[in-house]
Amino acid sequence: MKTFTDKVAAITGAGSGMGRSLALELARRGAHLALSDIDEASVTHTAIACRALGARVTSQRLDVADRDAVFAWARDTAAAHGKINLVFNNAGVSLSVPVATARLEDIEWLMNINFWGVVHGTQAFLPYLTASGDGHIVNTSSLFGIIAMPTQSAYNASKFAVRGFTEALRMELELAGSPVSCTCVHPGGVATNIVTASRIDDSIAAFTGIDAQTHRRRANKLIDVTSADAAARQMLAGVERNARRVLVGPDARRVDKLARLLGASYQAMVVWFYRRSAMSGKRSADAANARTAATDSSTN
């Protein structure tokens, strides 16, 4: 897709983060938008900002885990805009918990959004993208769709699934001679609210040596590598060159090279890192407890 001018793009998770940045960047480039998010107030805010840039915008609350609702949104978008050229299956959530203590309902919650939301969006919009004669599907995987990490089994499963689903879809579209193409996006650390909104189980302390609150605080620092605006521009550049895969951020590119170089051996490196981190966390906790005990002793 060489230009976004007068194209119609549907974006899930458009209320914040990369979804909001994608909407604003597309509006600046002359596209029209159908926006959705589970948070109606946030997506309404994005819609107002995009209209101010001259875009024609529709928006609504949407749970991408609800297949019927996603298909209805696709029909409504086609009716309102007359055509659909792009869909960005961007909505996502995260979960940090060891496999042994993971609750099935938490895994299902994550998979229904991160994987099934992508499937629903792809299948719902594909007929309209085909009818447009110039369509593109952009599915968001992750850095963790390239390598796996302890306590991220469910998230890894969803993002590896998105990668496999999208790569298979790309080949099917090529074999069929379809006017639609697709791209799989692997963001590294992008400054969004995904960690703030994530579910983190207290049992991760056994692996990380730190409690859930500290884990969330550290994770927020780790994702602050690439701004959401920069990520959006990299994603759109990938669509323009019809890339099969887009690695967003320097950390994603480094990890991709590491995975290619080491193969499955990267896992031993991760295990070493986690053991070292757990030991460091335990030393920090022991030191904090010692300081507390000394303070209590001096005041008694």
Side-chain angles (χ1 to χ4, degrees), residues 27-28 30-32 49-57:
R28 293 185 191 101
H32 304 294
C50 291
R51 290 191 187 104
L53 293 170
R56 185 173 68 252
V57 185

Side-chain angles (χ1 to χ4, degrees), residues 12-287:
T12 66
S16 63
M18 292 192 303
R20 186 171 196 272
S21 291
L22 279 167
L24 290 167
E25 187 63 28
L26 282 164
R28 293 185 191 101
R29 299 188 189 194
H32 304 294
L33 304 163
L35 309 178
S36 69
D37 198 284
I38 193 72
D39 184 334
E40 188 172 8
S42 68
V43 76
T44 299
H45 178 66
T46 302
I48 292 170
C50 291
R51 290 191 187 104
L53 293 170
R56 185 173 68 252
V57 185
T58 56
S59 67
Q60 70 173 69
R61 181 189 182 279
L62 179 72
D63 180 358
V64 297
D66 185 337
R67 179 179 174 83
D68 290 341
V70 176
F71 273 73
W73 179 48
R75 290 193 297 271
D76 292 345
T77 297
H81 292 272
K83 64 176 182 177
I84 310 169
N85 302 98
L86 300 111
V87 60
F88 293 83
N89 292 307
N90 169 75
V93 293
S94 69
L95 169 67
S96 298
V97 61
V99 172
T101 53
R103 297 185 303 170
L104 184 60
E105 55 265 36
D106 283 338
I107 297 174
E108 290 175 340
W109 164 76
L110 180 141
M111 291 298 294
N112 284 339
I113 297 168
N114 287 10
F115 176 62
W116 285 111
V118 168
V119 175
H120 297 160
T122 297
Q123 291 191 324
F125 282 90
L126 184 54
Y128 302 105
L129 302 182
T130 303
S132 77
D134 184 18
H136 207 102
I137 299 165
V138 183
N139 292 336
T140 301
S141 179
S142 169
L143 169 69
F144 288 171
I146 298 172
I147 63 167
M149 297 290 282
T151 76
Q152 297 297 307
S153 57
Y155 189 77
N156 284 139
S158 70
K159 296 304 185 178
F160 272 84
V162 168
R163 174 183 172 181
F165 175 82
T166 307
E167 291 181 3
L169 172 64
R170 170 80 179 227
M171 292 184 283
E172 290 177 6
L173 293 170
E174 290 176 348
L175 287 168
S178 173
V180 181
S181 190
C182 68
T183 296
C184 190
V185 177
H186 295 269
V190 177
T192 69
N193 66 355
I194 189 169
V195 173
T196 302
S198 68
R199 296 183 183 182
I200 302 178
D201 194 273
D202 288 336
S203 61
I204 67 166
F207 288 83
T208 63
I210 58 175
D211 60 28
Q213 184 177 357
T214 305
H215 178 87
R216 190 186 303 275
R217 187 167 59 251
R218 289 187 178 182
N220 266 319
K221 290 181 180 179
L222 287 173
I223 67 169
D224 194 11
V225 177
T226 302
S227 71
D229 289 347
R233 290 191 293 269
Q234 290 176 43
M235 292 169 68
L236 295 181
V239 174
E240 287 175 324
R241 66 177 185 271
N242 195 24
R244 296 177 185 274
R245 180 183 299 175
V246 175
L247 300 167
V248 176
D251 49 344
R253 291 188 288 273
R254 285 195 298 268
V255 167
D256 181 60
K257 290 179 181 177
L258 186 69
R260 293 170 185 269
L261 178 65
L262 297 181
S265 297
Y266 82 85
Q267 297 170 35
M269 181 182 295
V270 172
V271 169
W272 173 84
F273 172 81
Y274 264 75
R275 283 176 175 158
R276 182 182 179 186
S277 177
M279 289 171 59
S280 175
K282 185 178 185 303
R283 285 195 297 269
S284 297
D286 289 345

